[in-house]
Amino acid sequence: CGPEGVEKCVVLKRIRPHVVSDDEFGNMFLDEARIAAKLSHPNVVQIYDLGKADNTYYIAMEYVSGRNVQHLITKQQTLGGHLPVAHVCRIIAGVCDGLHYAHARKDYDGKPLNIIHRDISPQNILVSFAGGVKVVDFGSAKASTQLALTRSGVLKGKYAYMSPEQVRGNKIDHRSDIFAVGLVMYEMLTGVRAFEQDSSLKTLKAIVQEKPLNPRE
């Protein structure tokens, strides 16, 4: 609450107490704040403040009144149908707009930030009740300015939406996010995850070696 009773509803994101002493989590948290604070776009959730209270950091971010895409998919499945194609296309277009902005973003001195989200999934795409589309959670993002380094052999992101390059541990670029967007769109249209198997290892193997079933089938 600000002066003269001015109020703004925000979301406070904090590090969970059981990992608050882990330096890697702390650096990732700070990286997320630094990256997201440089982004200001209608299709990206806005960061308002980074602070510290009770010896732990917090991020104050935009509150989106709505649902994530995973909720929409699950709700539609319970109703025995699929999301309307026009709605899917509208949501995906918003995601692409937000990601293109992030991918092309430059620092204040004109140096490319080389931002890659690395964790595009239905849970990280919000649709507001007013019809807005927002990409959220840059906690796994990679950028040229980040402090935290990914340990060798550590995969960041949700397995079912990784690109083959991520799975192999190869160097990735913005195309990895685009691949993930395609997988989200596939799931929104069909209700099925393109590569998901009965174990994480089989899912990762399918991403690298197999092709998804034609959506028309």
Side-chain angles (χ1 to χ4, degrees):
C1 184
E4 304 300 329
V6 176
E7 296 182 348
K8 190 173 188 67
C9 188
V10 300
V11 172
L12 289 180
K13 183 173 184 177
R14 300 186 302 162
I15 303 175
R16 289 179 179 269
H18 68 280
V19 294
V20 72
S21 60
D22 190 315
D23 290 341
E24 182 177 4
F25 276 94
N27 286 335
M28 286 174 59
F29 193 79
L30 294 175
D31 281 338
E32 176 180 3
R34 290 188 181 95
I35 292 171
K38 296 178 184 295
L39 304 177
S40 180
H41 188 274
N43 298 116
V44 176
V45 166
Q46 184 70 47
I47 295 293
Y48 297 131
D49 187 31
L50 169 68
K52 194 172 186 179
D54 298 328
N55 205 35
T56 184
Y57 289 104
Y58 67 85
I59 299 174
M61 61 177 62
E62 176 184 4
Y63 170 70
V64 179
S65 178
R67 297 287 185 267
N68 67 35
V69 165
Q70 186 61 64
H71 175 90
L72 301 183
I73 294 172
T74 303
K75 182 69 173 180
Q76 202 62 40
Q77 287 174 335
T78 62
L79 297 175
H82 297 291
L83 293 169
V85 175
H87 293 184
V88 173
C89 291
R90 172 66 183 85
I91 293 169
I92 292 297
V95 174
C96 288
D97 281 347
L99 283 177
H100 174 72
Y101 166 80
H103 292 159
R105 188 75 171 88
K106 295 181 179 180
D107 209 339
Y108 300 116
D109 60 1
K111 181 180 179 181
L113 290 174
N114 297 319
I115 295 173
I116 308 166
H117 189 286
R118 296 202 301 183
D119 196 17
I120 293 298
S121 65
Q123 293 91 336
N124 287 337
I125 301 169
L126 304 181
V127 181
S128 75
F129 293 130
V133 178
K134 303 273 187 177
V135 177
V136 69
D137 196 357
F138 280 79
S140 295
K142 176 180 174 61
S144 58
T145 57
Q146 72 181 145
L147 295 179
L149 300 176
T150 303
R151 294 192 303 252
S152 178
V154 175
L155 295 176
K156 290 188 177 181
K158 298 178 181 68
Y159 292 162
Y161 306 96
M162 286 184 173
S163 67
E165 290 79 11
Q166 275 180 289
V167 173
R168 295 191 184 104
N170 296 341
K171 183 178 180 179
I172 62 172
D173 57 29
H174 67 278
R175 291 173 293 182
S176 190
D177 285 344
I178 297 173
F179 186 89
V181 172
L183 296 184
V184 173
M185 187 174 188
Y186 183 103
E187 185 176 347
M188 292 176 73
L189 291 171
T190 66
V192 176
R193 291 177 180 171
F195 293 107
E196 188 173 57
Q197 304 292 324
D198 56 10
S199 73
S200 297
L201 186 60
K202 289 181 180 179
T203 298
L204 295 174
K205 185 176 180 180
I207 290 172
V208 174
Q209 299 181 356
E210 300 178 15
K211 290 184 178 181
L213 186 68
N214 189 314
R216 295 183 183 276
E217 299 178 32

